[in-house]
Amino acid sequence: MHFGDFDFAGIAIYLNEYKRQLEKKALFFVPKNIEDLIKINGNRKLYNEQNINFKVERINEENLLKLIKTIHKYRKGLEQEILIKRMA
C-alpha cells in the first residue's frame, strides 16, 4: 500500500515507481474522507504547479480515478502530512 501525497506528483510516483514494479500487488491509499480533506485543507499551488505526466485512461483503480476527479474538482492537491497532523 502506497501512502503518498494526494496530488499529481504523488500519483505519478506511485504509478511510475511502485505500480510498475509491483503491478497488482500495489495499491494507492486514499482515505474515505479525501474529498473533505482536499476541499478544506487542499493547496491550490500544488494543482497549479503540477502537470499530469501519466495516462489517466490506463488507470483501473477506482479509488485513484475518484481522487483525480476530486483534485480537478477543487483544483487543489493535498500533502500526506495533513493526515499525520490529524492523527497526532
Side-chain angles (χ1 to χ4, degrees), residues 6-36:
F6 306 101
D7 57 19
F8 297 137
I11 294 169
I13 290 168
Y14 165 72
L15 293 172
N16 295 321
E17 296 181 23
Y18 295 93
K19 190 72 171 179
R20 181 176 290 165
Q21 297 297 320
L22 299 172
E23 297 176 354
K24 292 183 180 182
K25 294 179 184 177
L27 178 66
F28 191 99
F29 171 72
V30 180
K32 292 180 183 179
N33 63 337
I34 192 64
E35 184 164 356
D36 290 335

Side-chain angles (χ1 to χ4, degrees), residues 17-87:
E17 296 181 23
Y18 295 93
K19 190 72 171 179
R20 181 176 290 165
Q21 297 297 320
L22 299 172
E23 297 176 354
K24 292 183 180 182
K25 294 179 184 177
L27 178 66
F28 191 99
F29 171 72
V30 180
K32 292 180 183 179
N33 63 337
I34 192 64
E35 184 164 356
D36 290 335
L37 290 171
I38 289 176
K39 179 180 176 181
I40 296 166
N41 302 295
N43 183 334
R44 195 167 303 267
K45 185 177 178 182
L46 292 174
Y47 182 86
N48 292 335
E49 292 181 352
Q50 297 177 359
N51 296 313
I52 293 180
N53 61 351
F54 51 85
K55 297 195 180 290
V56 175
E57 60 273 5
R58 290 187 179 173
I59 298 172
N60 59 11
E61 293 179 38
E62 198 61 40
N63 65 332
L64 202 51
L65 292 170
K66 183 179 176 185
L67 173 60
I68 292 167
K69 286 181 184 179
T70 301
I71 291 169
H72 280 306
K73 178 179 178 179
Y74 295 102
R75 299 183 192 280
K76 295 179 179 180
L78 185 70
E79 294 177 331
Q80 64 180 316
E81 287 79 7
I82 193 70
L83 294 178
I84 296 167
K85 290 176 186 176
R86 293 173 82 63
M87 295 169 81

